């Protein structure tokens, strides 16, 4: 009797494990066309992440995976990060430098925020038309052209601000900035990244010719 009961329980357990494994396998299986966008259909604006929206509305350079990456990653510092490092006691600035950088940053914000908000409004309108099935070819062209124009102007504002920073900071400060940001890999004068013009790299990093 005991053996029979034990055997029945064992068989039931094995069957349960097999069924559970089968269910898990079915759950884990994904279609060959499973979308990387899965889950994003619940966004308020499908084309923008919550971080993008927040960044656009506050004038930050974070939207679209980095508005000023070509400058930032090639040795052209950003004013906000310099000011943050200064406030943290990690970066020295003269009074003149501090005033100029703060003014430059404020000017960038004043120009960037309205453009960012306009992009959010345009992308919201575009998303709404698709959601309501009211989109037309003419409206599509109108909205994406307006959004693209705002994006181009916004990107120029961020990149040109980084460009101006190169004339405000010394070579030594730029080297320190890159180190604080985690971009340095040993001696920048001896480790010139692939694809960079050696003379321009050495000039930006204060290397001896």
């Amino acid at each position: 009797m005991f053996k029979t009961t034990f055997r029945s329980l064992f068989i039931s357990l094995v069957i349960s494990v097999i069924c559970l494994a089968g269910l898990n396998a079915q759950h884990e299986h994904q279609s060959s066309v499973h979308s990387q966008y899965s889950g994003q259909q619940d966004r308020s604006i499908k084309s923008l992440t919550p971080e993008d929206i927040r960044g656009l509305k506050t004038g930050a350079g974070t939207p679209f995976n980095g508005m000023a990456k070509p400058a930032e990653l090639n040795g052209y510092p950003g004013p906000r990060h310099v000011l943050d490092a200064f406030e943290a006691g990690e970066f020295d600035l003269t009074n003149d430098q501090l005033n100029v950088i703060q003014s430059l940053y404020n000017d960038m914000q004043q120009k960037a925020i309205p453009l960012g908000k306009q992009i959010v409004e345009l992308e919201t309108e575009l998303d709404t038309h698709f959601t309501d099935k009211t989109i037309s070819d003419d409206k599509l062209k109108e909205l994406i052209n307006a959004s693209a124009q705002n994006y181009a102007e916004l990107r120029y504002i961020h990149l040109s601000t980084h460009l101006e920073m190169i004339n405000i900071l010394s070579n030594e400060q730029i080297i320190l900035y890159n180190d604080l940001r985690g971009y340095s890999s040993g001696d920048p004068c001896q480790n010139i990244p692939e694809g960079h013009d050696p003379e321009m790299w050495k000039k930006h990093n204060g290397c001896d010719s």
Side-chain angles (χ1 to χ4, degrees), residues 70-79 82 91 93 97 100-101 104 158-178 196 199-206:
E72 174 73 13
L73 298 181
N74 281 296
Y76 293 76
V82 169
F91 201 96
L93 293 171
Q97 284 180 320
V100 171
I101 293 172
L104 181 64
H158 283 285
L159 284 167
S160 63
T161 299
H162 281 249
L163 184 60
E164 289 189 53
M165 287 290 291
I166 207 76
N167 298 317
I168 300 172
L169 301 176
S170 67
N171 289 327
E172 291 73 20
Q173 287 173 313
I174 294 172
I175 293 172
L176 174 59
Y177 176 88
N178 289 326
H196 286 262
E199 293 303 318
M200 290 299 295
W201 177 264
K202 289 181 179 180
K203 179 181 178 181
H204 289 163
N205 288 279

Side-chain angles (χ1 to χ4, degrees), residues 104-174:
L104 181 64
Y105 176 73
N106 292 343
D107 183 59
M108 181 193 73
Q109 287 284 95
Q110 291 177 2
K111 294 176 181 177
I113 291 175
L115 286 170
K117 288 182 177 179
Q118 184 64 25
I119 290 175
V120 172
E121 291 175 3
L122 288 166
E123 292 298 324
T124 299
E125 185 177 354
L126 179 64
D127 192 88
T128 300
H129 276 295
F130 271 102
T131 300
D132 296 342
K133 306 297 188 293
T134 56
I135 193 69
S136 65
D137 189 67
D138 288 341
K139 177 58 69 172
L140 180 61
K141 287 181 181 178
E142 174 191 335
L143 291 174
I144 62 175
N145 285 338
S147 185
Q149 182 178 348
N150 278 276
Y151 171 78
E153 292 181 24
L154 182 60
R155 196 175 184 207
Y156 172 77
I157 288 169
H158 283 285
L159 284 167
S160 63
T161 299
H162 281 249
L163 184 60
E164 289 189 53
M165 287 290 291
I166 207 76
N167 298 317
I168 300 172
L169 301 176
S170 67
N171 289 327
E172 291 73 20
Q173 287 173 313
I174 294 172

